[in-house]
Amino acid sequence: METQLTWDEYRVLARRTQDPSLSPREKLAHAVLGLCSELHEADLEASALTFGCPEFVNDVKQRLALEIGDCYWMIAEICDYFDSENSGVKFFPPPEPRNSRSSLPYVGNAAVEGARAHLCNVAQKAFQGHAREDRSVGRALLTIGCHLGRLAEKADFATKTILHMNIEKLKKRYPDGFSAERSVNRED
């Protein structure tokens, strides 16, 4: 039986695999760049579901779930940066659909791309001494969270299952916390 993690529990477990040598601004830059990359990888897997061979559907769904988990890890690191000063930026994974007929709101590609670009802008401004834009970051993360929720639906995985899968993968990769050597020489 898998553990049903809350978002806050997930963040605590994910935090143990963050690079402790990075400054808060470096963590923000790492997380934003990583989120952009992981979102792209998740979108590629979602495209493969739509246009791929039927015999590989279950493998693609599994890979999509893993990519979504990586996106949530990056979002957790972004939230840690903003929570460092109790900014009020809150992110909660989108709610699970109540039944097969309900769905999360559709978030168009332009909105997701805009959210990615905005987060890049926020990270850039962090290095230039600008004031933080907490409310706009929360909106960008909500947009991306809705997109991830729809991708999770497409993969037939519950968000909490994806969070659990991601933590299990990270425990195997980094049994003693983050290690640059294990990051470079990983088996998965």
Side-chain angles (χ1 to χ4, degrees):
M1 171 104 184
E2 80 182 40
T3 305
Q4 295 294 305
L5 298 172
T6 67
W7 177 244
D8 289 334
E9 291 167 338
Y10 172 80
R11 284 180 57 196
V12 168
L13 293 170
R15 196 174 292 131
R16 66 177 284 285
T17 61
Q18 292 176 358
D19 184 347
S21 71
L22 298 178
S23 73
R25 287 188 317 179
E26 290 170 329
K27 284 184 180 184
L28 175 65
H30 171 261
V32 168
L33 291 171
L35 179 58
C36 290
S37 174
E38 297 297 345
L39 278 168
H40 175 70
E41 291 176 19
D43 288 339
L44 287 176
E45 294 296 346
S47 294
L49 265 183
T50 303
F51 303 110
C53 299
E55 59 268 18
F56 299 117
V57 166
N58 288 334
D59 290 339
V60 174
K61 286 181 177 182
Q62 183 74 23
R63 288 194 312 267
L64 176 55
L66 292 172
E67 296 300 342
I68 294 167
D70 291 343
C71 290
Y72 281 127
W73 189 96
M74 296 297 176
I75 291 171
E77 192 169 41
I78 291 169
C79 289
D80 283 350
Y81 172 80
F82 283 94
D83 281 355
S84 66
E85 293 183 14
N86 299 316
S87 67
V89 169
K90 298 295 178 203
F91 173 81
F92 302 99
E96 303 294 342
R98 284 183 227 123
N99 59 51
S100 61
R101 293 187 186 140
S102 68
S103 184
L104 294 163
Y106 173 73
V107 178
N109 288 341
V112 175
E113 292 303 318
R116 285 187 218 194
H118 180 69
L119 291 174
C120 289
N121 189 340
V122 167
Q124 175 206 7
K125 287 180 178 179
F127 283 90
Q128 297 173 339
H130 289 243
R132 297 198 319 206
E133 301 176 30
D134 299 352
R135 293 186 76 204
S136 65
V137 168
R139 286 191 303 269
L141 292 178
L142 179 60
T143 299
I144 291 169
C146 285
H147 178 64
L148 293 174
R150 287 188 57 92
L151 292 180
E153 286 178 348
K154 195 171 194 171
D156 294 326
F157 278 90
T159 300
K160 288 186 176 189
T161 300
I162 291 172
L163 296 177
H164 176 78
M165 289 168 57
N166 185 253
I167 291 300
E168 291 305 310
K169 177 185 82 171
L170 293 171
K171 282 180 181 177
K172 288 178 188 167
R173 185 182 296 167
Y174 304 114
D176 300 316
F178 177 79
S179 156
E181 180 183 337
R182 290 186 70 90
S183 177
V184 172
N185 299 311
R186 62 188 187 203
E187 297 174 15
D188 57 7

